[in-house]
Amino acid sequence: MSKIAYIADIGSTFTKALALDLESASILDRSQCPTTEQSGIEQGFLHLRDVILKNIKIPTFDLSLASSSAHGGLK
């Protein structure tokens, strides 16, 4: 069975995420939502994780990675 990674980019406006099959390097699903700094950027990260898990019908990811493309970083 392939290993599936959850990869997210937390931007200043939108958080974008995808599920990646690490063996075939194929994208299984992707989604995005607004980055919500006031209520915590973790909210968008976790929301997208749950949406993608449901869409691809697996219980969890083998690997989770996140980065930020926000200009100047998130405060």
Side-chain angles (χ1 to χ4, degrees), residues 6 17-19 28-33 43-58 61:
Y6 173 67
L18 58 86
L28 303 175
D29 193 34
R30 67 177 79 204
S31 192
Q32 72 176 24
C33 71
Q43 180 181 355
F45 177 85
L46 295 175
H47 169 73
L48 292 177
R49 182 200 63 191
D50 293 344
V51 166
I52 292 173
L53 282 171
K54 183 178 176 182
N55 288 347
I56 64 173
K57 297 175 178 59
I58 63 171
F61 291 103

